[in-house]
Coordinates of all heavy atoms in Angstrom, one line a residue:
A817 N -10.3 35.4 -3.3 CA -11.3 35.7 -4.2 C -11.7 34.5 -5.0 O -11.0 33.6 -5.2 CB -10.8 36.8 -5.2
T818 N -13.0 34.5 -5.6 CA -13.4 33.5 -6.5 C -13.3 34.0 -7.9 O -12.8 35.1 -8.2 CB -14.8 33.0 -6.1 OG1 -15.6 34.1 -6.0 CG2 -14.8 32.3 -4.8
G819 N -13.9 33.3 -8.9 CA -13.9 33.7 -10.3 C -12.9 32.9 -11.1 O -12.1 32.2 -10.5
S820 N -12.9 33.1 -12.4 CA -12.0 32.4 -13.2 C -10.5 32.8 -13.0 O -9.6 32.0 -13.2 CB -12.3 32.6 -14.7 OG -13.6 32.8 -14.9
T821 N -10.4 34.1 -12.8 CA -9.0 34.7 -12.7 C -8.0 34.0 -11.8 O -6.9 33.7 -12.2 CB -9.1 36.2 -12.4 OG1 -10.1 36.8 -13.3 CG2 -7.7 36.9 -12.6
P822 N -8.4 33.8 -10.5 CA -7.4 33.2 -9.6 C -7.2 31.7 -9.6 O -6.4 31.2 -8.9 CB -7.9 33.6 -8.2 CG -9.4 33.8 -8.3 CD -9.6 34.1 -9.8
I823 N -8.0 31.0 -10.5 CA -7.9 29.5 -10.5 C -6.5 29.0 -10.7 O -6.0 28.1 -10.0 CB -8.9 28.9 -11.5 CG1 -10.3 29.1 -11.0 CG2 -8.6 27.4 -11.7 CD1 -11.4 28.6 -12.0
L848 N -14.1 37.2 -0.1 CA -14.7 38.4 -0.4 C -16.3 38.3 -0.3 O -16.9 39.2 0.2 CB -14.4 38.9 -1.8 CG -12.9 39.3 -2.1 CD1 -12.7 39.5 -3.6 CD2 -12.6 40.6 -1.3
D849 N -16.8 37.3 -1.0 CA -18.3 37.3 -1.2 C -18.9 36.0 -1.3 O -18.2 35.0 -1.5 CB -18.6 38.2 -2.4 CG -17.6 37.9 -3.6 OD1 -17.0 36.9 -3.6 OD2 -17.5 38.8 -4.5
Y862 N -19.7 29.9 -3.5 CA -18.3 30.3 -3.4 C -17.5 29.4 -2.4 O -16.3 29.2 -2.5 CB -18.1 31.8 -3.2 CG -18.5 32.6 -4.4 CD1 -18.7 33.9 -4.4 CD2 -18.5 32.0 -5.7 CE1 -19.0 34.7 -5.5 CE2 -18.8 32.7 -6.8 CZ -19.0 34.1 -6.7 OH -19.3 34.8 -7.9
L912 N -7.6 39.9 -5.4 CA -8.8 40.4 -6.1 C -8.7 40.1 -7.6 O -7.7 40.1 -8.2 CB -8.8 42.0 -6.0 CG -9.0 42.6 -4.6 CD1 -8.9 44.1 -4.8 CD2 -10.3 42.2 -4.0
G913 N -9.9 39.9 -8.1 CA -10.1 39.9 -9.6 C -10.7 41.3 -9.9 O -11.0 42.1 -9.0
I914 N -11.0 41.5 -11.1 CA -11.7 42.8 -11.5 C -12.8 42.5 -12.5 O -12.6 41.7 -13.4 CB -10.7 43.9 -12.0 CG1 -11.4 45.2 -12.3 CG2 -10.0 43.4 -13.2 CD1 -10.5 46.4 -12.5
G915 N -14.0 43.0 -12.3 CA -15.1 42.8 -13.3 C -14.9 43.7 -14.5 O -14.2 44.7 -14.5
S916 N -15.5 43.3 -15.6 CA -15.4 44.1 -16.8 C -15.9 45.5 -16.7 O -15.6 46.5 -17.4 CB -16.1 43.4 -18.0 OG -17.4 43.2 -17.7
N917 N -16.8 45.8 -15.6 CA -17.3 47.1 -15.4 C -16.5 47.8 -14.2 O -16.9 48.8 -13.7 CB -18.8 47.1 -15.0 CG -19.1 46.3 -13.7 OD1 -18.1 45.7 -13.1 ND2 -20.3 46.3 -13.3
H919 N -15.8 46.5 -11.2 CA -16.2 46.1 -9.9 C -15.1 45.3 -9.2 O -14.3 44.6 -9.9 CB -17.5 45.4 -9.8 CG -17.6 44.0 -10.3 ND1 -18.7 43.5 -10.9 CD2 -16.7 43.0 -10.2 CE1 -18.5 42.2 -11.2 NE2 -17.3 41.9 -10.8
I920 N -15.0 45.4 -7.9 CA -14.1 44.4 -7.1 C -15.0 43.8 -6.0 O -15.8 44.5 -5.4 CB -12.9 45.1 -6.5 CG1 -13.2 46.5 -5.9 CG2 -11.8 45.3 -7.6 CD1 -11.9 47.1 -5.2
A921 N -14.8 42.5 -5.9 CA -15.8 41.7 -5.1 C -17.1 42.0 -5.8 O -17.2 42.1 -7.1 CB -15.8 42.0 -3.6
F922 N -18.2 42.2 -5.1 CA -19.5 42.5 -5.8 C -19.8 44.0 -5.5 O -20.9 44.4 -5.5 CB -20.6 41.6 -5.3 CG -20.7 40.3 -6.0 CD1 -20.7 39.1 -5.3 CD2 -20.8 40.3 -7.4 CE1 -20.9 37.9 -5.9 CE2 -21.0 39.0 -8.0 CZ -21.0 37.9 -7.3
T942 N -23.2 42.0 -14.5 CA -22.6 40.9 -13.7 C -23.3 39.6 -13.8 O -22.7 38.5 -13.9 CB -22.5 41.4 -12.2 OG1 -21.6 42.6 -12.2 CG2 -21.8 40.4 -11.3
D945 N -22.2 38.2 -17.0 CA -20.8 37.7 -16.9 C -20.8 36.3 -16.2 O -20.1 35.4 -16.6 CB -20.0 38.7 -16.2 CG -19.4 39.8 -17.0 OD1 -19.8 39.8 -18.3 OD2 -18.7 40.7 -16.5
N946 N -21.5 36.2 -15.1 CA -21.5 35.0 -14.2 C -22.3 33.9 -14.7 O -22.2 32.8 -14.3 CB -21.9 35.4 -12.8 CG -20.8 36.3 -12.2 OD1 -19.9 36.8 -12.8 ND2 -20.9 36.5 -10.9
R948 N -22.2 32.2 -17.3 CA -21.5 31.2 -18.0 C -21.2 30.0 -17.1 O -20.9 28.9 -17.6 CB -20.2 31.8 -18.7 CG -19.1 32.1 -17.6 CD -17.9 32.9 -18.3 NE -16.8 33.0 -17.4 CZ -16.7 33.9 -16.4 NH1 -17.7 34.7 -16.2 NH2 -15.6 33.9 -15.6
L949 N -21.2 30.3 -15.8 CA -20.9 29.2 -14.8 C -22.1 28.5 -14.4 O -22.1 27.5 -13.6 CB -20.1 29.8 -13.7 CG -18.9 30.6 -14.0 CD1 -18.4 31.4 -12.8 CD2 -17.8 29.7 -14.5
L977 N -5.6 40.9 -9.9 CA -5.2 40.1 -11.1 C -6.2 40.4 -12.2 O -7.4 40.5 -11.9 CB -5.2 38.6 -10.8 CG -4.5 38.2 -9.5 CD1 -4.6 36.7 -9.3 CD2 -3.0 38.6 -9.5
N979 N -6.8 39.2 -16.5 CA -6.3 38.7 -17.8 C -7.4 38.8 -18.9 O -8.6 38.8 -18.5 CB -5.8 37.2 -17.6 CG -7.0 36.3 -17.3 OD1 -7.5 36.3 -16.2 ND2 -7.4 35.5 -18.3
N982 N -11.1 41.5 -22.5 CA -12.4 42.1 -22.0 C -12.2 42.8 -20.7 O -13.1 43.5 -20.1 CB -13.5 41.0 -21.8 CG -13.2 40.0 -20.8 OD1 -12.0 39.6 -20.6 ND2 -14.2 39.6 -20.0
K983 N -10.9 42.7 -20.1 CA -10.6 43.5 -18.9 C -9.8 44.7 -19.1 O -9.5 45.5 -18.2 CB -9.9 42.6 -17.9 CG -10.6 41.3 -17.5 CD -11.8 41.6 -16.6 CE -12.6 40.4 -16.3 NZ -12.0 39.5 -15.3
Ligands
PGA1318 P1 -13.5 36.6 -13.2 O1 -14.3 37.6 -12.3 O2 -12.3 36.3 -12.5 O3 -14.4 35.4 -13.4 O4 -13.2 37.3 -14.5 C1 -13.7 38.7 -11.8 C2 -14.7 39.6 -11.1 O5 -15.9 39.7 -11.6 O6 -14.4 40.1 -10.0

Side-chain angles (χ1 to χ4, degrees):
T818 52
S820 328
T821 312
I823 291 178
L848 293 170
D849 43 20
Y862 286 166
L912 296 174
I914 184 168
S916 58
N917 64 357
H919 74 214
I920 45 177
F922 275 126
T942 298
D945 276 1
N946 291 9
R948 70 189 193 282
L949 305 169
L977 312 178
N979 67 285
N982 67 322
K983 299 292 174 73

